[in-house]
Amino acid sequence: MEEDKEKKSVKRSDWDIRPYLAIGALIFLVFCCCIAVFTMIFKYAALKKACAAFVGILQPILIGAVLGYLFNPLMRRIDTGLCGLILPKVKDKEKVKHVIRTVASILTLLIFLTLFGMIIYMIVPALMESIANLVNTMSANVEHFIDWYNNLSLPGKGSGEWEQYLLMAAEYIEEWFDNSLVPQLQDFTQWQNYLTSITLSAINVVVVLKNVVIGLIVSIYVLMEKERFEGQAKKIAFAILPIKQANALIQIVHKVDQIFGGFIIGKIIDSIIIGIICFIGCSILRMPYTLLVSVIIGITNIIPFFGPFIGAIPCLIIVTITDPLHGLYLLIFILVLQQVDGNIIGPKILGESTGLSSFWVIFAIMVGSGLFGFAGMLFGVPTFAVIYYLAQRLISHLLKRKGLPAKSLDYTVVTHVDPETKELCTGDWVRNEQFHFASKKKKNAKGK
């Protein structure tokens, strides 16, 4: 009897609860995932509202993080230059490094604010004047364009119905600008009629300005503490994940930073250079509305592939209606400029930041614009580049586990893979079918 009791106690002590805990944790996670999916499907509006409120609370932090990310290349250069000048002359290098980083962060912000203020002061008044002049002279320019077209001796000219529609459109735009938009802007200052609108608008402006100001301050702290934030993130990754997976995660994050940082910052610099070259070229050619055309070309150039065409269409319409001959000059100049940008300036600045072919760039822009509009056109290419990189990495890992090469060019003329030697074989499809038939016959013979 005592021996039986001892055996029962041994069996009870050997009982392991860990597998049951693992099963219970898995069931709990599946249950939580089902609730999350149910909430996303049936409570989408409430979830979207809650996310919007949460993002609104964190808006200053997000603005600061984005600005700090964009300011980082300039700050890094200033910091490196100051460290090279000052550190060899001091003893307490760590303390001086912190001071230099603070000075470099503040200088970066001051440079940005100075450049932004100069652009607003120099461009915005001239741009508004150009737009007002364009609208006020639109009817006269359209009539001048119609007279020029009528004086051309072209075979097979159509009827003059399009001329009436063109004049009607120009008169409508001019009347809307003079009789609707301008009076509304003038009446908007009368507090008797628009007190509520002014109050709401003022509150919105104050909120936006507050978020921007706080975001600028946050960007300084982001620049000053970016190494610490990076170290904390890596520490958490190594604490939670196995070492191999943590290393892979860090490598992926660095690749994402390389893709997004290289593309966004490079595209902004590229667009500024193109806008300046366009302004210089249009000034030499004495184009009408030079500043307006340059701003449109520079801004739309941020959009990959389709940007030059999107910006060229309104510019050509504006200049052609004003002066058809200058419209032809502008068309030739834009084609030359875009060739220079696509083959010389763009590759020098952007390099291979995305690693996508032209087909996938067009695909990413079309899908991004269809799902998220203008923001999708801007960020669709780097986002898809990240997805493409992750898919490529996963496929390469799966192929290596099977003992197969990971390069796409190795599979261009492959018809089959030898299952025993894992050799990539080439040949016609008849031989391929014979190979599959022979291998199937061999397997059946082994089975028997």
Side-chain angles (χ1 to χ4, degrees):
M1 293 293 292
E2 292 180 356
E3 291 180 357
D4 293 338
K5 289 181 180 180
E6 288 180 358
K7 289 181 180 179
K8 289 181 181 179
S9 63
V10 170
K11 289 181 180 180
R12 288 177 182 175
S13 62
D14 290 342
W15 184 60
D16 192 0
I17 197 174
R18 285 178 294 180
Y20 301 98
L21 289 176
I23 294 172
L26 182 61
I27 294 172
F28 178 74
L29 288 175
V30 171
F31 184 71
C32 291
C33 290
C34 293
I35 293 176
V37 172
F38 176 82
T39 305
M40 291 179 64
I41 295 174
F42 296 99
K43 301 291 184 180
Y44 176 75
L47 184 64
K48 184 178 179 181
K49 187 177 179 181
C51 291
F54 183 72
V55 171
I57 294 171
L58 294 179
Q59 190 176 20
I61 306 296
L62 296 176
I63 293 174
V66 172
L67 291 177
Y69 184 77
L70 296 177
F71 294 163
N72 184 53
L74 177 59
M75 188 280 300
R76 191 166 57 240
R77 295 195 176 189
I78 296 174
D79 183 68
T80 304
L82 292 177
C83 287
L85 290 173
I86 299 173
L87 286 182
K89 303 176 183 178
V90 296
K91 294 182 179 180
D92 193 354
K93 297 186 183 299
E94 292 299 325
K95 187 175 182 180
V96 175
K97 273 185 181 180
H98 184 72
V99 176
I100 290 174
R101 173 58 61 84
T102 305
V103 172
S105 302
I106 295 174
L107 281 176
T108 303
L109 181 59
L110 291 176
I111 290 172
F112 167 76
L113 293 176
T114 303
L115 292 176
F116 184 75
M118 289 175 62
I119 291 172
I120 296 296
Y121 179 76
M122 294 171 61
I123 293 180
V124 171
L127 197 62
M128 296 302 295
E129 184 179 354
S130 298
I131 294 173
N133 185 32
L134 174 66
V135 174
N136 292 330
T137 60
M138 184 169 290
S139 297
N141 290 333
V142 169
E143 292 176 0
H144 174 71
F145 176 76
I146 292 173
D147 293 338
W148 172 81
Y149 178 79
N150 290 330
N151 291 329
L152 294 175
S153 56
L154 296 176
K157 269 203 218 180
S159 61
E161 293 182 359
W162 65 272
E163 302 172 4
Q164 298 178 1
Y165 292 122
L166 192 60
L167 285 171
M168 290 171 59
E171 291 176 359
Y172 175 78
I173 293 173
E174 189 173 349
E175 289 178 1
W176 173 80
F177 186 81
D178 292 334
N179 301 328
S180 181
L181 181 61
V182 174
Q184 285 182 8
L185 292 175
Q186 293 174 350
D187 293 340
F188 191 76
T189 58
Q190 299 178 5
W191 63 271
Q192 294 90 345
N193 299 326
Y194 297 99
L195 181 60
T196 305
S197 299
I198 290 174
T199 304
L200 294 176
S201 299
I203 292 173
N204 292 331
V205 169
V206 169
V207 171
V208 171
L209 289 177
K210 180 205 74 172
N211 291 337
V212 171
V213 171
I214 297 175
L216 290 172
I217 297 171
V218 170
S219 67
I220 297 177
Y221 288 99
V222 170
L223 293 173
M224 291 171 55
E225 304 291 337
K226 64 186 185 70
E227 285 84 2
R228 180 177 296 179
F229 294 150
E230 183 179 357
Q232 290 173 347
K234 290 179 180 178
K235 182 175 69 174
I236 294 171
F238 284 114
I240 296 175
L241 300 174
I243 293 178
K244 191 174 181 180
Q245 282 75 10
N247 290 333
L249 178 61
I250 291 171
Q251 187 179 356
I252 290 171
V253 171
H254 279 295
K255 185 64 177 180
V256 171
D257 171 61
Q258 179 185 348
I259 292 173
F260 267 88
F263 179 82
I264 295 173
I265 297 174
K267 209 52 176 150
I268 292 173
I269 296 173
D270 177 51
S271 299
I272 293 172
I273 293 173
I274 291 300
I276 293 172
I277 294 175
C278 183
F279 179 78
I280 295 172
C282 290
S283 300
I284 294 172
L285 296 173
R286 296 183 179 179
M287 294 284 179
Y289 308 108
T290 298
L291 184 62
L292 180 61
V293 169
S294 303
V295 170
I296 293 174
I297 294 294
I299 292 175
T300 55
N301 193 69
I302 298 177
I303 302 173
F305 197 83
F306 293 109
F309 304 101
I310 295 173
I313 292 172
C315 294
L316 287 173
I317 293 173
I318 292 170
V319 175
T320 302
I321 290 176
T322 305
D323 191 338
L325 187 59
H326 277 92
L328 178 62
Y329 294 159
L330 181 63
L331 176 61
I332 297 173
F333 176 71
I334 289 177
L335 290 176
V336 173
L337 180 62
Q338 296 306 326
Q339 290 299 316
V340 172
D341 179 39
N343 297 310
I344 300 175
I345 300 175
K348 287 288 184 183
I349 297 174
L350 295 174
E352 297 294 331
S353 58
T354 60
L356 296 178
S357 62
S358 300
F359 171 80
W360 290 118
V361 169
I362 298 172
F363 177 83
I365 294 171
M366 297 297 292
V367 173
S369 62
L371 294 176
F372 303 104
F374 184 73
M377 296 183 73
L378 291 178
F379 302 106
V381 173
T383 302
F384 185 80
V386 172
I387 298 172
Y388 186 88
Y389 167 75
L390 295 175
Q392 192 177 36
R393 187 184 175 97
L394 176 62
I395 292 171
S396 298
H397 175 70
L398 295 176
L399 287 172
K400 287 179 179 178
R401 287 180 61 182
K402 295 181 178 180
L404 298 175
K407 291 183 180 180
S408 300
L409 293 177
D410 295 338
Y411 295 87
T412 304
V413 293
V414 170
T415 57
H416 61 276
V417 177
D418 193 329
E420 296 179 358
T421 63
K422 303 297 174 67
E423 181 183 357
L424 303 181
C425 304
T426 60
D428 55 18
W429 292 108
V430 176
R431 284 163 54 188
N432 188 20
E433 292 176 1
Q434 291 176 354
F435 169 80
H436 283 296
F437 177 77
S439 62
K440 188 175 181 182
K441 189 175 181 181
K442 190 183 292 184
K443 286 182 180 179
N444 294 333
K446 286 183 179 179
K448 292 179 180 180

